[in-house]
Amino acid sequence: WDIVSKLKSQRGLISTGEVVDPEVWTRKRREQTLHRYKNILSNMLAHPQYLNKRKEELCKYRDIHHIEDEQHELALKEMGWTLEEFEAGRKEGQVDEDEEEMQKNGWR
């Protein structure tokens, strides 16, 4: 399982002394996790149909990576969304990038 191998790898780095300051290293890993989450969230928000189909998986990702509600709401706010819009699966006045591309290319 990916998480188990990741934890074993992290333990190895710490025990061999490759990680000088575990607190700094942990903080940096946490920042990377949050940055990845924001990128995933941004991509999903740009595609409402995808967002609505995969919202449960995003919730599992948040659980696995310990993304708190406050961090999730702040990420939404940074992207111009409210929690209510996220839960509804659509932002008022949003253009679905997939639909826009299909129309632009004459696929619909």
Side-chain angles (χ1 to χ4, degrees), residues 32-80:
Q32 290 173 340
T33 296
L34 191 53
H35 181 74
R36 270 189 224 107
Y37 176 72
K38 287 179 180 181
N39 286 330
I40 292 167
L41 181 62
S42 176
N43 188 35
M44 292 180 78
L45 295 175
H47 307 277
Q49 292 177 353
Y50 186 71
L51 169 65
N52 290 313
K53 289 179 186 173
R54 311 287 300 263
K55 209 180 279 186
E56 187 175 319
E57 290 176 49
L58 186 65
C59 186
K60 287 179 185 177
Y61 183 93
R62 286 183 56 205
D63 286 342
I64 290 168
H65 295 281
H66 306 286
I67 307 293
E68 303 294 331
D69 290 342
E70 297 80 26
Q71 294 167 314
H72 171 67
E73 289 183 44
L74 181 59
L76 288 170
K77 185 177 181 182
E78 289 173 6
M79 294 171 206

